[in-house]
Amino acid sequence: MISVATAKQIINSHSKTLSTIERPILQALGYALAQTIVSPIQFPAFRQSSMDGYAIYYVEKEKTLLIQDALPAGTSQQLTLENGMAIRVYTGGPIPDGADCVVQKEYVNLINQSIQIQSDRIVQLGDHIREKGSDLEKNTVLIEAGTVLRPAHIGLLASAGITQVPVIQKPSVAILITGNELVQPGMPLTFGKVYDSNAFSIQAHLQQLGIVNITVQYVNDNLNETFTKIAALVTQFDVLILTGGVSVGDFDFVPAACEKAGITPHFHKVKQRPGKPLFFGTRENRLVFGLPGNPAAVLSCLYQYVLPTIEQMSGTQTIRSATARLKAPFKKTIPLTQFLKGYYESGEVTVLPAQASYQLSALGKANCWIELDEEWTFIAAQQEVKIYLFI
Ligand code: AMP
Ligand code: MG
């Protein structure tokens, strides 16, 4: 049996960042930028007013100035300011050539077709003029490669007139749920059955990571049926996630079915709880995770292995780990890395009750996994532990 760290290393050595694809900016949200984007234009692209007012020659600020013309936002007219005159300008509209100062509308008295700046107003050279290129010069960096695009980035790209960007692809994922005991939520729960929650939990997590190409299939605990499904899915999807049937019980066919489907096993069983029976294999560049069926084990394996791998392939980093102080002492009785459902707040983390891998009640409140190292036996209050925050 291997350690958590070794399991992570093995998975890492088999996963690669996916290739680049051009996507329209709105559909690039949540993707990692594959190349640094430089601005194809200057910001602002022309001398712009930042106020509603009058463009003037600063040296003429004490004179009565005749209104020469108006330049509303959006006008394509290019004017030169004449001496002894002022031009009406608007926020975001162009500044006439020559003008070196904008006086806001409220600072002037309008007399017929002329203006006079109120004597108590302070007016300075360059007031309310956004110089061409003062925000960003052409060909300077807009967004660095590797940045995961957030809504503000999408707006920034649009400001530069960019319609599509190269991003790192996200993997396609197949989920294969095994178990004769499973019933779909919404159907009556007859004796001996349990509702399938793994398909939902996995899909919801994948959705949070922006994975769109997801398929979910079900299979009974039967070697041949399991083999047939795995063999088909492993050739069609970048990642195959199985749940259940991965231990050593009489009805656990996943490892055997994987081998039969030409998947090379890299490990089976990790020194951890929950999630000890975890299986990992590959076929060519396709990754196969065989997760135990217990929903809590599925969740801990998602946070430790599956989601970080999908993020590595996609160039994103949504899953975050941190350190926190354990609120109360904890006696650890198992010689395995232990993951506990925790509640994190203001630097402190509480171990929630009901930690057995079949127990789910704590998930209503939990907001993280707490990791306790393999060799630890007692963790004192206020000791620092590693946590993985739920997404
Ligand atoms: P297994 O790993 O197949 O032995 O399953 C371990 C435990 O997890 C059993 O109690 C199963 O009933 C339960 N289980 C397996 N698959 C699911 C699922 N998709 N949803 C909820 N519980 C499951
Ligand atoms: Mg099962």
Side-chain angles (χ1 to χ4, degrees):
M1 209 166 22
I2 60 169
S3 68
V4 168
T6 306
K8 287 182 180 176
Q9 274 165 20
I10 293 172
I11 296 169
N12 227 335
S13 70
H14 290 280
S15 63
K16 282 203 298 276
T17 305
L18 296 180
S19 52
T20 298
I21 180 181
E22 287 277 333
R23 288 182 79 92
I25 55 172
L26 269 179
Q27 273 116 61
L29 183 65
Y31 281 73
L33 205 53
Q35 283 161 29
T36 295
I37 302 292
V38 297
S39 178
I41 57 164
Q42 283 181 307
F43 279 21
F46 56 94
R47 286 180 91 217
Q48 229 172 48
S49 175
S50 64
M51 278 287 170
D52 276 350
Y54 295 87
I56 63 162
Y57 286 108
Y58 175 71
V59 291
E60 296 185 332
K61 66 181 165 32
E62 267 126 44
K63 292 190 186 164
T64 298
L65 302 167
L66 188 66
I67 301 171
Q68 178 187 329
D69 214 325
L71 284 172
T75 182
S76 302
Q77 225 189 338
Q78 285 174 288
L79 297 177
T80 304
L81 180 64
E82 316 258 321
N83 287 324
M85 296 207 176
I87 292 183
R88 180 80 172 92
V89 292
Y90 299 84
T91 307
I95 299 279
D97 288 346
D100 53 10
C101 172
V102 169
V103 183
Q104 61 199 84
K105 190 171 161 256
E106 306 82 73
Y107 285 16
V108 307
N109 296 325
L110 206 57
I111 314 137
N112 298 326
Q113 284 309 299
S114 297
I115 60 157
Q116 207 160 40
I117 299 171
Q118 294 157 8
S119 57
D120 56 339
R121 302 295 191 176
I122 299 161
V123 171
Q124 285 176 320
L125 187 67
D127 266 1
H128 312 307
I129 295 178
R130 302 170 183 160
E131 291 298 341
K132 200 172 158 180
S134 59
D135 185 16
L136 207 65
E137 280 300 342
K138 191 174 166 174
N139 293 327
T140 52
V141 173
L142 205 56
I143 314 174
E144 302 266 7
T147 305
V148 178
L149 297 173
R150 298 186 173 282
H153 295 124
I154 307 304
L156 179 62
L157 290 165
S159 309
I162 294 167
T163 57
Q164 52 175 45
V165 284
V167 293
I168 298 169
Q169 272 183 306
K170 295 192 189 226
S172 55
V173 183
I175 302 166
L176 182 57
I177 305 290
T178 78
N180 293 346
E181 74 279 33
L182 302 176
V183 173
Q184 279 298 297
M187 302 299 283
L189 194 66
T190 52
F191 180 78
K193 304 287 184 185
V194 295
Y195 284 124
D196 164 37
S197 66
N198 291 340
F200 294 86
S201 161
I202 297 171
Q203 278 184 92
H205 279 88
L206 295 175
Q207 281 174 21
Q208 282 288 76
L209 299 187
I211 307 293
V212 284
N213 190 348
I214 305 172
T215 194
V216 182
Q217 293 195 12
Y218 291 84
V219 69
N220 283 322
D221 293 316
N222 170 293
L223 177 61
N224 260 322
E225 286 177 30
T226 308
F227 153 71
T228 308
K229 293 256 180 184
I230 292 174
L233 293 172
V234 78
T235 57
Q236 294 166 40
F237 291 85
D238 297 312
V239 178
L240 171 58
I241 306 170
L242 297 114
T243 77
V246 76
S247 321
V248 290
D250 294 338
F251 295 95
D252 292 333
F253 297 115
V254 167
C258 281
E259 289 220 45
K260 209 172 158 202
I263 292 158
T264 310
H266 297 297
F267 63 76
H268 185 197
K269 288 197 176 75
V270 178
K271 284 192 264 178
Q272 63 181 8
R273 184 181 292 167
K276 192 158 98 180
L278 179 66
F279 168 94
F280 174 70
T282 54
R283 192 175 132 173
E284 282 138 29
N285 53 355
R286 312 299 172 101
L287 309 184
V288 181
F289 294 90
L291 274 41
N294 269 311
V298 165
L299 202 61
S300 76
C301 290
L302 280 180
Y303 277 84
Q304 292 304 311
Y305 309 101
V306 182
L307 302 181
T309 304
I310 285 174
E311 292 221 89
Q312 200 222 314
M313 296 168 93
S314 321
T316 62
Q317 219 184 354
T318 312
I319 308 286
R320 285 178 305 129
S321 62
T323 53
R325 286 168 281 110
L326 203 63
K327 194 144 186 166
F330 186 83
K331 210 167 157 228
K332 181 166 166 285
T333 53
I334 50 164
L336 304 167
T337 298
Q338 194 171 6
F339 297 105
L340 299 167
K341 291 153 237 162
Y343 181 73
Y344 170 79
E345 194 177 22
S346 314
E348 279 192 333
V349 67
T350 308
V351 176
L352 295 171
Q355 290 289 343
S357 57
Y358 81 94
Q359 288 179 308
L360 302 173
S361 46
L363 292 177
K365 168 129 178 131
N367 61 7
C368 67
W369 284 107
I370 305 168
E371 177 174 1
L372 304 181
D373 287 4
E374 201 179 306
E375 65 273 17
W376 291 355
T377 52
F378 179 79
I379 303 96
Q382 298 304 307
Q383 185 175 321
E384 284 216 325
V385 291
K386 193 168 182 188
I387 61 167
Y388 297 83
L389 295 158
F390 286 2
I391 54 174

